[in-house]
Amino acid sequence: MTQTVARTDTTAETSPAPRSTEVTRPARQNRLTTEEGKISVAEGVVQKIAGIACREIGGVHAMGAGGSRAFGAIRERIPGSTGPNVAQGVGVEVGATEAAVDLDIVVEYGVSIADLGRGIQRNVKQAVERMTGLEVVEVNINVDDVHLPESGEAQGESRVS
């Protein structure tokens, strides 16, 4: 019995292309470098955009850790102040083409923190990317507190007379 073995030549013309298991993202166009020059965005700008975008989501009662909220409340009461600091509770790192955002928030009692967090992340990412051209690589949320209803709001009818 004769066996026939198929001969395969491996030349550059006939060898199959190497398979890559890596998923490649399409190259994101850098909107901040143009033929006319370079555009840079300050950290304060990104902080304000992120702070406003976070506050747009229902269920966010306040922003900032306890000390910064107390200081902000005092500052707001000073005559001639500009009102609430929209960047309070917002930390950012801004690079040439990317930004990372950290948010400290107080949530309203009864709100799903997971759903609220996803909504905040989505809104902040979209707002910062749309307005600045930076790619937002992460939006981290730290829930510092839960705002409880005022004692008058929480109490219904008394059980005893």
Side-chain angles (χ1 to χ4, degrees):
M1 193 162 166
T2 315
Q3 232 178 356
T4 309
V5 177
R7 184 172 173 216
T8 57
D9 291 330
T10 53
T11 63
E13 298 170 352
T14 60
S15 65
R19 292 184 185 178
S20 174
T21 58
E22 294 180 27
V23 176
T24 56
R25 292 192 276 175
R28 185 178 178 105
Q29 183 181 8
N30 183 357
R31 296 175 23 195
L32 299 174
T33 302
T34 65
E35 292 177 8
E36 291 82 21
K38 191 185 276 189
I39 302 166
S40 61
V41 181
E43 286 186 357
V45 172
V46 177
Q47 280 181 309
K48 288 180 181 180
I49 294 168
I52 292 168
C54 180
R55 286 175 173 83
E56 289 175 346
I57 304 299
V60 176
H61 175 73
M63 293 187 65
S68 66
R69 287 195 319 268
F71 180 73
I74 293 169
R75 193 182 64 118
E76 287 178 34
R77 294 177 188 221
I78 297 172
S81 73
T82 58
N85 179 5
V86 293
Q88 178 178 307
V90 182
V92 298
E93 291 181 37
V94 178
T97 60
E98 297 179 337
V101 180
D102 297 314
L103 303 168
D104 289 313
I105 66 170
V106 176
V107 300
E108 296 285 345
Y109 177 78
V111 174
S112 167
I113 293 174
D115 292 341
L116 177 65
R118 283 190 292 275
I120 292 169
Q121 288 171 326
R122 186 173 37 253
N123 201 46
V124 168
K125 181 176 173 64
Q126 287 174 352
V128 171
E129 287 183 346
R130 180 178 49 81
M131 293 182 70
T132 66
L134 294 167
E135 179 182 2
V136 177
V137 293
E138 63 184 16
V139 177
N140 301 311
I141 300 171
N142 185 33
V143 178
D144 292 316
D145 202 356
V146 175
H147 178 257
L148 301 174
E150 298 295 324
S151 60
E153 297 172 19
Q155 292 184 7
E157 296 178 19
S158 175
R159 297 187 333 174
V160 294
S161 51

